[in-house]
Amino acid sequence: MLGDATQIMRAVDAWVASQGNGRWVAADSVPPAGTGAPFPDYGIQQERQETAELVSVLLDRLPDRERCLEVGLGRYGSTHILWRELFRHVVSIEWHSDRIHNFSAQVEAFYGRWVLDDRRSRIIPGSSWDPAVVRQVYACCTPTLDFLFIDGSHAYQDVLCDWLLYHPLVRPGGVIAFHDSVCTLPAFGVGSFVAELAAGMIDGHKRAITHILHSTHLGISLYEV
């Protein structure tokens, strides 16, 4: 792990440059879900300034960063690489088996050797709502998580399901974050869920939400448990 935000972003920049078109998602990009429009083959499905700010928040709020869970590996597994720079152990859930295979090949090509045998990474294949997947996650993430990043299916009911299943694993003082939280396209319900979470409409408890926004349709929203 690298403890400095600049070093972390430099390491992720190098990975992103080797994937897809070698670029971060543009700040004015419109996500393709629900539009049917072509979308550039970005090396990471995140906006760089938003990611850098999230890194700074996590470094500030989580001095002892042991374990994180992300729902959604992404096209190139670039956030898994990011989390490896921040946490001692990273668990990712991904239901696209081809993405998992591609990520493994890209890791070996990028580093020139196999580095995922260090017991710091685990990728669980399948749907995040599959009972077999949930069982595996609870087995490897118990007793507690420091960070949960929900970035799988962005439909409202799917975000709700991911949160209900995995937020109990996050320790007091840990952080839960949601990607694409300001997108208002019909296929996206992240923003609606986050707003209801803040208002206490999900489980009767209001959350103080921090919004990181440097883009038109993306955004990251988070709260401390």
Side-chain angles (χ1 to χ4, degrees):
M1 289 191 302
L2 303 174
D4 176 80
T6 300
Q7 290 177 306
I8 290 171
M9 291 304 296
R10 187 179 299 127
V12 180
D13 279 337
W15 170 270
V16 171
S18 71
Q19 307 300 313
N21 65 11
R23 301 198 305 270
W24 294 73
V25 171
D28 61 351
S29 290
V30 179
T35 67
F39 195 64
D41 187 25
Y42 291 112
I44 187 171
Q45 293 169 292
Q46 308 288 327
E47 197 277 333
R48 191 183 188 282
Q49 194 173 353
E50 292 175 353
T51 304
E53 187 171 334
L54 175 62
V55 167
S56 295
V57 168
L58 294 178
L59 288 173
D60 179 61
R61 298 192 186 185
L62 301 175
D64 185 22
R65 298 177 303 280
E66 180 67 28
R67 190 179 307 275
C68 82
L69 168 67
E70 70 169 353
V71 180
L73 180 66
R75 183 173 298 169
Y76 293 110
S78 300
T79 47
H80 190 97
I81 297 298
L82 168 63
W83 309 138
R84 278 177 60 93
E85 296 292 335
L86 279 159
F87 296 90
R88 292 183 183 89
H89 301 282
V90 182
V91 179
S92 298
I93 303 170
E94 177 56 56
W95 74 285
H96 289 283
S97 59
D98 56 330
R99 291 184 175 182
I100 298 174
H101 294 312
N102 180 66
F103 176 62
S104 298
Q106 292 299 320
V107 164
E108 193 159 16
F110 179 77
Y111 291 103
R113 60 188 178 88
W114 184 243
V115 300
L116 298 183
D117 55 356
D118 57 5
R119 298 185 180 181
R120 294 184 52 223
S121 286
R122 178 164 181 173
I123 299 176
I124 300 176
S127 166
S128 57
W129 325 305
D130 185 325
V133 170
V134 176
R135 188 181 306 113
Q136 289 182 68
V137 172
Y138 269 71
C140 66
C141 293
T142 302
T144 53
L145 290 171
D146 298 290
F147 179 57
L148 169 62
F149 188 63
I150 296 179
D151 191 21
S153 168
H154 291 354
Y156 175 92
Q157 66 271 16
D158 298 340
V159 179
L160 170 63
C161 189
D162 285 335
W163 182 82
L164 287 171
L165 285 170
Y166 300 116
H167 89 272
L169 289 171
V170 182
R171 66 170 175 80
V175 173
I176 298 176
F178 306 83
H179 188 230
D180 293 326
S181 58
V182 301
C183 187
T184 57
L185 291 173
F188 286 72
V190 185
S192 297
F193 175 79
V194 169
E196 292 182 6
L197 200 60
M201 297 170 62
I202 303 299
D203 61 354
H205 298 286
K206 295 181 179 180
R207 269 79 176 186
I209 306 291
T210 298
H211 302 286
I212 299 175
L213 182 61
H214 300 285
S215 62
T216 307
H217 298 286
L218 304 174
I220 298 171
S221 296
L222 59 96
Y223 71 94
E224 188 173 312
V225 176

